[in-house]
Amino acid sequence: MFVSIIICTRNRKEELLRICRSISPQSYTNYEIVIVDSSNKEKTEKSEIEELIAGTNNIVFINSEPGLTKQRNIGLNAANGDLFFFFDDDMILEENFLEEMVKVYQSNHDYYGGMGAFTDFKPPRLKHRFKKLVKNFFLLQQDYGNGKFHKSGFPQHPFGKEVFMETEVIGGAMMSFRREVFEEFKFDEHFSAYSYMEDVDISRRVSNKYKLFYNPKARAEHRHGEGGRGNYFENRRMYIYNHRYLFERNFPQTMSNQIAHKWSILGLYAFAVISLNQPLLSFKAYSKGLKDYREAKRKQFQV
């Protein structure tokens, strides 16, 4: 199977070169690399990538406008693979990552998307277990989950699990899909800039029709690079805004789902207090995000 590796990047030259160094020694070599770069400083040259990845001429380098979902769709249009792998530029792949993922696709034709495991997830300590209980109580997003969605619209990510499992959600830092998926679906360009939770959106839409998987044998480290997610206030504002958008777009608007969704919003405020993570700033950001979403909806209905 021919693999297209799509990496979207912006102003993170060091991280881009580092992930390319981890691609070079991959045991699976039937691939192309499509890099979509929106950098406006420290720009990387295609020749620098070619020097790092010896043995392949299959490198496509595209300059684009910024925006993760926009860049991913540009990468899709340029890719030629049977499988598409999307990596954040701050990932570092173990040498057998592609091989272990391709094995699953070759032996299980009913799987249309999947992800590997993050090596930087450690077994949760006692205080983290308490937070997990709180998140579960309020139907919030969490790791070490069963891979399913809460009725609130939040995912229970399988990150940290050590067993292969079918899942409804896969992480955007290293997600993959068969080519056929993108004959029906594209990344939603409503999500701008860093595009927080765009992986949740496309996972939900695709998993409504196709099976997805989590494979702990394919391992990679996520060294969260600086920049990209904005400051804390904007991060939290975008988080609750996109949560509202995703829920209304992707989930049946039944009474039980709406109650679960509103409960999760209350839970975000409660968790900010429990976690002692800048609660006052979180409150302001969440309130701003909800206000912005209401205004966006009002303008939509006025059109």
Side-chain angles (χ1 to χ4, degrees):
M1 302 180 79
F2 187 52
V3 168
S4 292
I5 300 171
I6 301 172
I7 305 171
C8 301
T9 188
R10 177 173 173 78
N11 296 334
R12 298 209 293 202
K13 180 175 182 176
E14 181 180 339
E15 287 85 350
L16 176 61
L17 296 178
R18 187 176 63 201
I19 186 176
C20 288
R21 290 189 192 97
S22 75
I23 293 172
S24 181
Q26 286 293 306
S27 56
Y28 192 87
T29 58
N30 190 22
Y31 63 78
E32 66 175 358
I33 300 176
V34 179
I35 295 173
V36 186
D37 190 356
S38 64
S39 298
N40 59 8
K41 58 183 180 180
E42 289 190 285
K43 292 186 177 181
T44 307
E45 300 296 330
K46 180 181 177 182
S47 59
E48 296 179 87
I49 306 299
E50 291 173 333
E51 289 178 8
L52 290 176
I53 305 177
T56 180
N57 295 318
N58 294 325
I59 299 175
V60 179
F61 201 97
I62 303 170
N63 292 304
S64 80
E65 296 179 358
L68 180 59
T69 51
K70 180 191 296 289
Q71 289 178 241
R72 283 186 166 175
N73 285 333
I74 290 171
L76 282 175
N77 292 333
N80 298 296
D82 304 303
L83 301 174
F84 294 163
F85 284 77
F86 299 88
F87 295 114
D88 282 2
D89 57 13
D90 52 4
M91 296 292 294
I92 304 175
L93 314 183
E94 293 192 353
E95 291 185 8
N96 65 342
F97 184 95
L98 293 178
E99 180 181 358
E100 292 295 340
M101 291 295 289
V102 171
K103 282 180 183 177
V104 176
Y105 282 111
Q106 288 177 328
S107 59
N108 297 275
H109 297 288
D110 54 344
Y111 285 136
Y112 277 75
M115 68 171 293
F118 293 109
T119 58
D120 41 308
F121 273 77
K122 307 300 181 185
R125 297 178 180 177
L126 183 60
K127 66 176 182 178
H128 295 135
R129 291 176 185 174
F130 171 72
K131 289 181 179 180
K132 179 177 173 62
L133 289 174
V134 174
K135 288 182 176 181
N136 192 55
F137 178 70
F138 283 108
L139 307 179
L140 299 178
Q141 178 172 308
Q142 59 184 291
D143 304 323
Y144 302 97
N146 60 10
K148 309 298 182 183
F149 280 92
H150 285 302
K151 295 177 72 173
S152 66
F154 273 125
Q156 304 172 75
H157 289 290
F159 308 157
K161 292 286 190 175
E162 297 181 354
V163 295
F164 184 95
M165 56 195 294
E166 287 190 10
T167 180
E168 295 176 351
V169 61
I170 53 181
M174 55 170 165
M175 58 169 43
S176 64
F177 297 98
R178 293 186 188 271
R179 166 176 282 276
E180 294 89 330
V181 166
F182 295 105
E183 294 173 1
E184 303 176 60
F185 303 98
K186 290 290 187 292
F187 291 96
D188 185 354
E189 294 185 18
H190 164 88
F191 297 96
S192 60
Y194 168 68
S195 305
Y196 211 164
M197 300 175 74
E198 105 293 338
D199 53 347
V200 177
D201 171 65
I202 197 164
S203 292
R204 176 66 178 183
R205 288 188 284 130
V206 174
S207 66
N208 280 334
K209 183 171 183 179
Y210 299 113
K211 291 182 179 180
L212 309 178
F213 67 88
Y214 167 80
N215 180 13
K217 290 184 178 180
R219 292 160 46 87
E221 180 184 356
H222 194 184
R223 290 191 185 176
H224 296 277
E226 294 183 5
R229 295 198 177 200
N231 61 43
Y232 184 79
F233 180 91
E234 176 58 22
N235 179 286
R236 294 295 86 190
R237 186 203 68 81
M238 186 190 302
Y239 186 68
I240 201 166
Y241 183 105
N242 288 351
H243 177 47
R244 294 283 293 118
Y245 173 80
L246 289 170
F247 174 76
E248 291 192 356
R249 182 186 188 199
N250 295 322
F251 289 80
Q253 297 301 294
T254 63
M255 181 174 292
S256 62
N257 282 357
Q258 289 183 10
I259 291 172
H261 180 67
K262 291 176 181 177
W263 179 245
S264 72
I265 290 175
L266 175 63
L268 288 175
Y269 285 88
F271 190 76
V273 175
I274 293 169
S275 64
L276 297 177
N277 189 7
Q278 305 186 61
L280 292 179
L281 187 59
S282 296
F283 284 8
K284 291 179 181 179
Y286 289 146
S287 298
K288 181 69 164 56
L290 293 174
K291 179 182 178 181
D292 289 349
Y293 188 76
R294 287 194 299 270
E295 290 181 352
K297 290 282 291 184
R298 177 176 55 80
K299 291 178 181 178
Q300 175 186 351
F301 289 125
Q302 287 178 346
V303 174

